[in-house]
């Protein structure tokens, strides 16, 4: 078991087999709660979730027009426990309820498959903690399949609000709009994108095809383009010139990076920090050491050297920050990698990425 703690947020990571994870999680959670009590702390049950990260399997259960297990979640327990409409002997069957076409809360409770309750964790105090497909930690939504679709949709929802605001901000100059963009748009695009934007690592293998983007990021990329066009008050299709507005010149003029290039920028900074920052996290440092040639010493002078990595057999393994960062680092010019400070490295790398928008 590993604990990841930041301020008052705690994440417990347990590596176990699927067929025994519920019981082991119950035991670990009980230990955590006991520790909280002994230290005069209180676990916020309302903000406590858990999920299973592993091979995805579809659960099979009886269903009619509506999934009864999903409806079971909406039935408050006190409603059907105060005045039960049925006893265990005379409640209707699933088939009878489906034919009737409507459901009472008692019927949902009685007919919902029991595996849902088995998957939930019931504490000693009788509190039920149910598994979720998505859990939130430090502002990032992590889903059980690690595709981060929900997290990306949250980012899209946050930044899309700025499209109309920029269109209405006709009186603001470009410098002011750029400041607002960095504060209210790029901050969301940049936060944690080494994790949720990792599908962009696929482009490291297909850099020759610049027009292709991971399907999971297309909506986000389109939303960012809408914001940039709104800043310059440019339509998607220019009727006067009978052509679509080219986005690269707009990004170049504003001197801001596309979301995928922000991901690349953070990959580069990650490796530079590994070489130059004495306070680089030990857990990440241990993972990067396997990419360092034995003859190379770890210091700022070695920043210009390439990292060694094995090409993963599975394309999904390219999403690992250590692998993706090593691939991107090796593609950079030596004069960028040999920068004397983090600030100069970021400035040079950003300028290098912006050159792709020229022409």
């Amino acid at each position: 078991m590993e604990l990841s703690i930041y301020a008052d947020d705690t994440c417990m990571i347990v590596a176990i087999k699927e067929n025994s994870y519920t019981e082991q999680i119950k035991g670990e959670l009980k230990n955590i709660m006991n520790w909280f009590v002994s230290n005069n702390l209180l676990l916020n049950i309302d903000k406590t979730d858990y999920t299973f990260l592993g091979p995805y399997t579809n659960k099979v259960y009886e269903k009619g027009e509506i999934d009864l297990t999903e409806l079971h979640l909406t039935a408050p327990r006190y409603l059907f426990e105060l005045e039960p409409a049925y006893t265990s002997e005379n409640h209707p069957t699933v088939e009878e309820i489906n034919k009737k076409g409507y459901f009472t809360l008692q019927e949902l409770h009685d007919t919902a498959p029991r595996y849902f309750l088995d998957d939930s964790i019931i504490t000693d105090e009788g509190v039920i903690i149910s598994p979720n497909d998505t859990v939130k930690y430090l502002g990032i939504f992590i889903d059980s399949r690690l595709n981060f679709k929900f997290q990306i949709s949250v980012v899209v929802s946050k930044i899309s609000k700025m499209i109309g605001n920029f269109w209405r901000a006709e009186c603001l100059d470009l410098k002011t709009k750029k400041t607002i963009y960095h504060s209210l748009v790029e901050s969301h695009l940049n936060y944690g994108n080494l994790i949720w934007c990792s599908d962009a690592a696929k482009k490291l293998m297909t850099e020759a095809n610049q027009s292709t983007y991971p399907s999971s990021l297309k909506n986000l990329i389109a939303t960012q383009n809408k914001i940039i066009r709104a800043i310059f008050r440019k339509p998607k299709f220019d009727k006067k010139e009978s052509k679509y507005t080219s986005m690269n010149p707009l990004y170049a003029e504003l001197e801001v990076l596309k979301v995928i290039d922000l991901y690349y920028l953070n990959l580069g900074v990650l490796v530079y920090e590994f070489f130059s920052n004495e306070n680089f996290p030990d857990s990440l440092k241990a993972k990067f050491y396997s990419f360092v040639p034995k003859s190379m010493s770890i210091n700022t002078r070695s920043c210009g050297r390439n990292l060694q990595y094995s090409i993963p057999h599975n394309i999904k393994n390219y999403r690992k920050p250590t692998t993706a960062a090593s691939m991107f680092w090796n593609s950079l010019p030596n004069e960028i990698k040999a920068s004397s400070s983090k600030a100069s490295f970021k400035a040079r790398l950003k300028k290098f990425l912006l050159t792709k928008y020229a022409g």
Side-chain angles (χ1 to χ4, degrees):
M1 183 187 75
E2 295 183 13
L3 287 177
S4 175
I5 303 174
Y6 185 86
D8 61 344
D9 285 328
T10 303
C11 177
M12 182 172 65
I13 305 170
V14 186
I16 41 183
K17 294 182 179 180
E18 183 180 6
N19 57 6
S20 63
Y21 81 95
T22 300
E23 289 303 319
Q24 187 166 344
I25 287 179
K26 288 180 181 179
E28 299 293 354
L29 183 60
K30 184 176 181 179
N31 293 335
I32 293 292
M33 295 180 71
N34 290 337
W35 182 89
F36 271 54
V37 171
S38 62
N39 287 273
N40 297 319
L41 298 173
L42 180 65
L43 179 66
N44 190 338
I45 297 296
D46 293 335
K47 294 184 178 181
T48 301
D49 295 308
Y50 79 94
T51 190
F52 175 76
L53 304 176
Y56 180 77
T57 55
N58 287 317
K59 293 183 176 180
V60 179
Y61 50 87
E62 294 182 87
K63 57 185 285 189
E65 293 298 322
I66 301 175
D67 294 345
L68 296 180
T69 42
E70 296 173 3
L71 292 175
H72 186 285
L73 291 170
T74 67
R77 300 186 66 86
Y78 72 88
L79 287 179
F80 51 70
E81 288 179 349
L82 286 177
E83 296 179 2
Y86 301 97
T87 64
S88 58
E89 291 79 15
N90 67 358
H91 69 73
T93 64
V94 175
E95 291 76 13
E96 290 172 338
I97 292 177
N98 286 336
K99 288 179 181 179
K100 189 167 61 172
Y102 62 89
F103 308 85
T104 66
L105 295 178
Q106 178 66 39
E107 290 167 345
L108 294 179
H109 171 67
D110 290 334
T111 58
R114 304 302 298 177
Y115 76 81
F116 170 76
L117 295 179
D118 292 338
D119 277 0
S120 300
I121 295 176
I122 304 177
T123 66
D124 292 341
E125 293 75 19
V127 178
I128 298 177
I129 304 176
S130 302
N132 288 318
D133 289 334
T134 303
V135 294
K136 186 179 182 181
Y137 182 59
L138 299 180
I140 303 294
F141 289 93
I142 304 171
D143 58 89
S144 58
R145 303 188 72 174
L146 294 179
N147 55 33
F148 296 100
K149 289 183 178 179
F150 186 74
Q151 167 64 23
I152 294 171
S153 69
V154 169
V155 176
V156 170
S157 176
K158 289 180 178 179
I159 67 173
S160 61
K161 300 173 184 177
M162 295 304 300
I163 298 174
N165 292 337
F166 278 124
W167 274 109
R168 290 188 291 269
E170 185 176 3
C171 60
L172 298 180
D173 56 46
L174 189 60
K175 183 178 179 180
T176 303
K177 290 181 180 180
K178 183 177 178 179
T179 301
I180 296 173
Y181 174 87
H182 283 307
S183 300
L184 302 179
V185 177
E186 190 170 278
S187 60
H188 293 298
L189 296 175
N190 205 33
Y191 179 70
N193 78 345
L194 274 177
I195 304 299
W196 57 262
C197 197
S198 56
D199 256 1
K202 297 176 182 177
K203 274 185 65 65
L204 293 172
M205 300 178 295
T206 59
E207 198 60 40
N209 190 354
Q210 296 283 347
S211 62
T212 59
Y213 296 100
S215 58
S216 62
L217 298 173
K218 285 185 177 179
N219 192 22
L220 179 61
I221 293 169
T223 303
Q224 187 186 19
N225 288 342
K226 289 178 182 179
I227 293 172
I228 298 299
R229 287 196 299 269
I231 289 176
F232 287 95
R233 303 186 63 78
K234 297 282 187 180
K236 183 177 181 180
F237 183 80
D238 193 330
K239 295 181 179 180
K240 292 182 179 179
E241 298 185 9
S242 298
K243 65 177 183 180
Y244 287 96
T245 299
S246 179
M247 293 306 305
N248 282 346
L250 301 184
Y251 279 99
E253 183 179 349
L254 197 60
E255 295 183 330
V256 297
L257 295 175
K258 299 178 181 180
V259 62
I260 288 183
D261 289 322
L262 277 174
Y263 168 73
Y264 292 156
L265 178 69
N266 287 326
L267 286 179
V269 170
L270 182 66
V271 180
Y272 189 87
E273 288 272 351
F274 165 67
F275 282 118
S276 60
N277 188 354
E278 295 181 355
N279 298 318
F280 194 72
D282 292 335
S283 57
L284 277 175
K285 188 180 294 184
K287 295 181 184 299
F288 266 112
Y289 269 127
S290 61
F291 294 84
V292 178
K294 295 181 179 180
S295 59
M296 186 192 300
S297 60
I298 307 302
N299 52 51
T300 306
R301 294 180 181 178
S302 61
C303 285
R305 301 287 296 276
N306 285 343
L307 296 172
Q308 294 178 342
Y309 62 91
S310 300
I311 298 177
H313 297 294
N314 191 329
I315 191 172
K316 292 183 179 180
N317 290 335
Y318 279 94
R319 297 172 57 188
K320 292 181 179 179
T322 48
T323 303
S326 299
M327 292 175 62
F328 180 68
W329 179 263
N330 291 356
S331 69
L332 294 177
N334 287 333
E335 57 267 24
I336 296 179
K337 293 189 283 188
S339 299
S340 58
S341 67
K342 179 181 175 181
S344 63
F345 172 80
K346 289 185 69 174
R348 290 180 180 181
L349 180 53
K350 181 178 179 180
K351 185 177 180 181
F352 172 75
L353 293 171
L354 285 172
T355 58
K356 297 191 301 181
Y357 308 156

